[in-house]
Amino acid sequence: MKPFITLKDVVYEVGGQVVFDKLNLSLDKGKVYAVIGPSGVGKTTLLYLLAGFIKPSSGQITIAGDAVYDVREQTSFLFQDLGLFPWQTATEAVKMPLEISKDRRKHENESIVNQLLGSLNILSYKDQYPHQLSGGQKQRVALARTLVTQPDLLLMDEPTSALDAMTKETIQQLFLDLQSDRFMTSVFVTHDIEEAVFLGDEILLLHPNGHYQWLKNKDQSEGLSRETKAFYDQCFYVRKQLELGGAGHE
Amino acid sequence: MSKLKRSLFHPLPMGFMMIIMIWYVLYLVIATRTIPAPLETFNYFFRHLHPLVIHMGASLMRVVVAVVLAILIGLPVGIAIGRSKRLDKVLSPLLYIIYPIPKVAFLPVFMLLFGLGNVSKVILMLFIIVFQLMLSVRDGVKDIPPHYFTVIRSFSARRKYLYRYVVLPAILPRIFSSLRISIGISLATLFFAENYATTYGIGYFILSAWMKMNYVEMFSGIIALSLLGSVLFGVIDMLEKRLTPWL
């Protein structure tokens, strides 16, 4: 199968500092990829390159066969701070991407938004502003906003970092349910090893020496429950690889 | 009963009653013809309501035209300065020079350039409002968190959506507070602007009464001016409440 995303010899320099030097990656359609690594290694930069927010210094990124030169309409981005505007209610926030999108029929927007808010259990908060919502509710609104246009690629920058443990697990499960329904490709950055193991089909470890390493995480059909020994073994393995700092890997 | 109580204890009638009380005390203590009795003044006010309403209407028209023009000019210019570092570098020093100048000093110039009629008066008020508005809008745009622009960009939004969903809602509260301040100043300026080449306007009414040393009439004019201000501020408050419900 042809990869959905390819990065070919991607170099990215900023302020004279090389963040990526000839990065080559292939990502398949419908899979969840976790990107993990120490701070400053370029995790968010990788997401920004995939999103088209920034351009590589050299090399090429292709998504669904097309070279990425700018932001794609079929790519959605879930920001670390969620990026909800204080002046938009949940409904307005979720409706916005549909109104911006060129090929949408406006009269359908209301029902699409209500359906999505309902599936994320936040329909009763549809008229609330961000400051009236809890962290978990805000997260669901932001998730609904990214999913409403039915993207083929979802990029998430530390999506649950601001949540308490219980809400985090609920949102993670919700994400997995949505992911299996929609068959989209998801790439997310996290500092949380458990999150990377629980959500990711594969984990991309970025190391400070510029090396990177792929870890096959789980077979989606089998699932990887948190309560199993296999889950904690995998977490331990990922931690160990991070500690090794990519020695011997490329 | 509770509705009446609520209306009476609303800040506006409460403030009005306090001013009347202070006025009455001053009237009793100072005991001079220049401070007429509140009752006598209100009596005069209601007996001459018709001419007062015409004067208030003339002033209101000038202020409203000036405000609308100020928004039409100040909003796009303020946004442009806030968004472009180059424009900011060129235009902001100009604004800093013009902004603190008492605009009323330009009245003779405006009268010479735009005639003695309404145009020069409206332009004077426009001058007072527009620079305040430009600076507020510019600062409002600069204060928008940069990642809001990244968020809207992530939806492949064209420029018009950037303004619709980010810039305009973000600066709306600033526009309202700026209008509140500058309308207050421009109402006070009416006092000067309407003293020349007009026989209509609340500023003219007050100054004319002053010249005639008819202090009851003068105070009636002051009440009318306050009323005009209250109506304008009330409209701004109402619009703000409706257009910025998240605050």
Side-chain angles (χ1 to χ4, degrees):
Chain A
M1 195 171 72
K2 220 176 163 188
F4 180 61
I5 301 172
T6 54
L7 281 83
K8 198 174 170 210
D9 295 330
V10 168
V11 176
Y12 185 73
E13 290 178 28
V14 62
Q17 200 186 342
V18 179
V19 183
F20 295 119
D21 187 16
K22 298 208 170 178
L23 183 65
N24 289 287
L25 296 174
S26 297
L27 311 181
D28 293 330
K29 189 158 176 59
K31 281 193 171 178
V32 182
Y33 295 92
V35 182
I36 200 163
S39 297
V41 84
K43 301 187 293 294
T44 300
T45 306
L46 177 62
L47 282 192
Y48 274 36
L49 283 166
L50 293 175
F53 295 157
I54 51 175
K55 291 183 179 73
S57 310
S58 66
Q60 197 176 44
I61 299 171
T62 55
I63 299 177
D66 298 320
V68 176
Y69 296 110
D70 203 347
V71 179
R72 286 171 80 238
E73 218 178 305
Q74 301 83 2
T75 301
S76 276
F77 202 108
L78 184 61
F79 294 86
Q80 189 178 355
D81 69 348
L82 307 179
L84 294 174
F85 302 142
W87 44 83
Q88 284 183 330
T89 61
T91 301
E92 288 165 350
V94 179
K95 206 189 274 181
M96 180 181 70
L98 291 175
E99 287 171 345
I100 289 172
S101 176
K102 291 159 204 153
D103 55 349
R104 296 278 165 179
R105 280 159 290 178
K106 302 255 188 246
H107 65 276
E108 288 178 2
N109 291 356
E110 197 75 40
S111 62
I112 293 171
V113 169
N114 283 342
Q115 207 177 339
L116 188 57
L117 291 175
S119 70
L120 289 162
N121 292 325
I122 43 169
L123 191 58
S124 50
Y125 304 103
K126 61 187 264 192
D127 296 321
Q128 307 278 12
Y129 289 97
H131 71 272
Q132 297 168 316
L133 299 170
S134 69
Q137 288 158 355
K138 276 192 254 192
Q139 197 81 18
R140 285 164 197 252
V141 173
L143 196 56
R145 189 176 69 174
T146 56
L147 295 176
V148 72
T149 49
Q150 302 198 316
D152 57 12
L153 173 61
L154 176 62
L155 305 170
M156 300 186 284
D157 191 3
E158 299 190 43
T160 60
S161 61
L163 300 177
D164 62 87
M166 290 299 288
T167 314
K168 187 182 272 195
E169 285 187 13
T170 313
I171 294 288
Q172 285 169 348
Q173 191 54 55
L174 186 70
F175 166 74
L176 281 185
D177 296 343
L178 289 164
Q179 169 71 25
S180 63
D181 285 351
R182 291 170 181 246
F183 195 64
M184 58 192 169
T185 306
S186 299
V187 183
F188 72 99
V189 159
T190 184
H191 277 109
D192 183 341
I193 293 172
E194 284 189 19
E195 183 170 67
V197 173
F198 184 68
L199 294 182
D201 294 312
E202 289 182 42
I203 300 176
L204 174 65
L205 262 67
L206 294 178
H207 296 296
N209 56 7
H211 290 167
Y212 62 92
Q213 179 183 358
W214 279 112
L215 297 178
K216 192 137 175 80
N217 200 16
K218 63 177 178 183
D219 184 341
Q220 187 79 339
S221 59
E222 288 171 17
L224 195 54
S225 169
R226 281 178 207 276
E227 284 82 31
T228 58
K229 186 176 174 297
F231 177 77
Y232 286 101
D233 285 348
Q234 179 70 349
C235 289
F236 180 76
Y237 179 67
V238 174
R239 189 183 306 276
K240 201 79 196 151
Q241 295 304 312
L242 273 172
E243 281 166 8
L244 286 170
H249 290 281
E250 194 177 326
Chain B
M1 185 61 192
S2 66
K3 204 174 175 184
L4 180 72
K5 218 171 171 180
R6 262 207 310 274
S7 316
L8 279 174
F9 287 97
H10 186 272
L12 202 65
M14 283 286 281
F16 182 71
M17 265 143 62
M18 273 177 70
I19 286 172
I20 304 283
M21 275 163 64
I22 294 167
W23 178 4
Y24 191 64
V25 170
L26 284 173
Y27 161 72
L28 290 176
V29 173
I30 299 174
T32 162
R33 245 167 45 83
T34 48
I35 302 179
L39 195 66
E40 189 190 353
T41 310
F42 277 104
N43 193 11
Y44 184 95
F45 179 88
F46 287 112
R47 272 193 292 114
H48 295 82
L49 199 57
H50 181 67
L52 273 167
V53 166
I54 292 173
H55 286 289
M56 282 162 77
S59 297
L60 183 67
M61 186 265 294
R62 289 174 187 132
V63 174
V64 169
V65 172
V67 167
V68 170
L69 287 176
I71 292 173
L72 289 176
I73 299 166
L75 193 62
V77 174
I79 291 174
I81 301 173
R83 294 276 295 147
S84 157
K85 277 186 181 160
R86 196 177 292 176
L87 264 181
D88 188 25
K89 232 175 180 173
V90 175
L91 291 181
S92 284
L94 210 71
L95 288 179
Y96 293 151
I97 292 167
I98 298 170
Y99 182 56
I101 297 173
K103 312 296 180 301
V104 76
F106 289 116
L107 186 58
V109 181
F110 293 147
M111 282 161 70
L112 196 73
L113 291 175
F114 304 107
L116 299 171
N118 275 325
V119 179
S120 58
K121 294 171 180 60
V122 167
I123 288 190
L124 175 69
M125 274 182 284
L126 170 67
F127 242 62
I128 293 167
I129 303 170
V130 79
F131 295 110
Q132 163 92 34
L133 191 66
M134 276 179 196
L135 286 172
S136 294
V137 169
R138 181 204 67 172
D139 292 347
V141 172
K142 279 183 174 179
D143 280 352
I144 298 173
H147 71 274
Y148 283 5
F149 295 108
T150 314
V151 170
I152 199 79
R153 194 178 158 214
S154 76
F155 297 109
S156 308
R158 280 169 288 163
R159 193 173 282 264
K160 68 171 181 178
Y161 293 114
L162 170 86
Y163 291 106
R164 181 176 156 190
Y165 291 113
V166 179
V167 176
L168 283 175
I171 60 173
L172 263 181
R174 296 246 189 184
I175 293 174
F176 285 115
S177 48
S178 160
L179 282 180
R180 231 175 257 122
I181 296 166
S182 44
I183 283 176
I185 300 168
S186 54
L187 279 177
T189 316
L190 279 175
F191 190 73
F192 291 100
E194 291 182 341
N195 194 28
Y196 300 94
T198 185
T199 48
Y200 287 105
I202 207 67
Y204 163 77
F205 185 89
I206 295 169
L207 264 167
S208 153
W210 183 16
M211 294 301 155
K212 288 185 282 181
M213 294 173 75
N214 184 346
Y215 296 111
V216 175
E217 186 179 297
M218 189 183 88
F219 269 72
S220 302
I222 293 170
I223 292 170
L225 186 62
S226 305
L227 209 65
L228 187 65
S230 302
V231 169
L232 285 171
F233 289 135
V235 169
I236 290 175
D237 283 354
M238 191 193 72
L239 282 174
E240 186 176 33
K241 209 170 172 188
R242 185 161 288 190
L243 296 175
T244 59
W246 63 91
L247 292 176

